[in-house]
Amino acid sequence: LEEAAFQLQQIFRIDISIALNILGIESMRAGHCRVAFTCFKLAADRGYSKAQFNVGLCYEHGRGTEKDLEKAGFYYCQAASSRHPMAQYRYARYLLQHGPGSLHDRHHKAVALLEQAAGAGITEAQAYLGVFYMRGLQPQEKRGLKYLLQAANSGDAQSRYHVGVCYEQGLGVQQNLAEALRHYQQSAAAGNGQARERLRA
């Protein structure tokens, strides 16, 4: 009986968190940012990762509360520890730009989070890693190209442009101007200005 009561309590707790998070999303859409933040925070403090991510967004952008990057990082970290892919991406960015601790430790943890987020299909993480591996102190061009292609195939026009650069310059792949042209054309068609410039050149 105790076990059944505990299970019911857990279900009730999760359902309340889901409802609060949905109410927060609807309130945000209606422009009631303070109400939205309150709903997200209540659900987040019950351990609901989607709400923790939303609280992070509110703190990062100052929606419904004062802007506070440290608090944003805290909530992104909580959601990321529950394997929320977009929170993993945001927390990784936070670690690289503002996080506590040594640069080496932050860098190592951030890359691991970005890898997880990219593996879960987060286009922003794929694009970030692609550029990161291409431009690092010790470039890993093949690895960078792999992530740029993933992001490009998810519709990211900027990554498609970078793939074109890789083919034009032979970075991580054998140089192929026809293939570079194809990627520049696709990127330009999706509205990328750099690709249009490259095509003119």
Side-chain angles (χ1 to χ4, degrees):
L1 193 61
E2 274 182 38
E3 178 64 24
F6 176 75
Q7 293 295 334
L8 275 172
Q9 204 173 23
Q10 292 298 99
I11 291 165
F12 181 69
R13 197 171 152 210
I14 291 164
D15 285 349
I16 289 285
S17 299
I18 292 168
L20 283 166
N21 192 57
I22 291 168
L23 189 59
I25 292 166
E26 292 304 317
S27 298
M28 193 63 81
R29 283 185 185 142
H32 306 300
C33 297
R34 284 201 177 279
V35 173
F37 174 74
T38 302
C39 292
F40 291 146
K41 185 90 167 49
L42 286 167
D45 292 343
R46 289 169 169 267
Y48 189 51
S49 63
K50 289 182 181 180
Q52 290 166 341
F53 173 70
N54 287 331
V55 170
L57 284 176
C58 288
Y59 276 124
E60 184 179 357
H61 300 290
R63 290 191 198 131
T65 187
E66 292 291 314
K67 191 172 181 174
D68 188 324
L69 292 179
E70 200 172 311
K71 286 181 181 174
F74 172 78
Y75 280 97
Y76 286 148
C77 177
Q78 286 196 320
S81 68
S82 297
R83 299 198 179 283
H84 187 291
M86 198 62 183
Q88 291 171 329
Y89 167 69
R90 293 273 184 173
Y91 186 53
R93 294 285 306 267
Y94 169 79
L95 284 174
L96 290 170
Q97 295 165 9
H98 313 284
S102 76
L103 184 62
H104 179 267
D105 290 346
R106 285 186 296 146
H107 184 272
H108 186 72
K109 187 170 183 179
V111 170
L113 287 167
L114 286 167
E115 294 267 4
Q116 289 173 34
I122 301 298
T123 304
E124 293 91 337
Q126 294 164 348
Y128 195 95
L129 277 174
V131 173
F132 174 83
Y133 283 126
M134 284 290 176
R135 294 184 180 164
L137 291 173
Q138 296 174 314
Q140 299 176 47
E141 293 168 352
K142 285 189 176 175
R143 202 168 193 180
L145 179 60
K146 178 187 99 169
Y147 283 112
L148 288 173
L149 276 167
Q150 285 178 5
N153 291 335
S154 295
D156 185 55
Q158 184 65 27
S159 293
R160 180 72 64 193
Y161 163 76
H162 287 304
V163 171
V165 172
C166 290
Y167 275 103
E168 184 180 4
Q169 297 179 6
L171 302 171
V173 70
Q174 191 170 347
Q175 188 178 36
N176 185 329
L177 296 182
E179 194 65 12
L181 185 65
R182 185 176 73 81
H183 287 287
Y184 287 145
Q185 287 169 336
Q186 287 179 8
S187 180
N192 186 277
Q194 286 177 293
R196 281 196 292 265
E197 287 295 315
R198 201 75 207 100
L199 285 169
R200 282 194 208 102

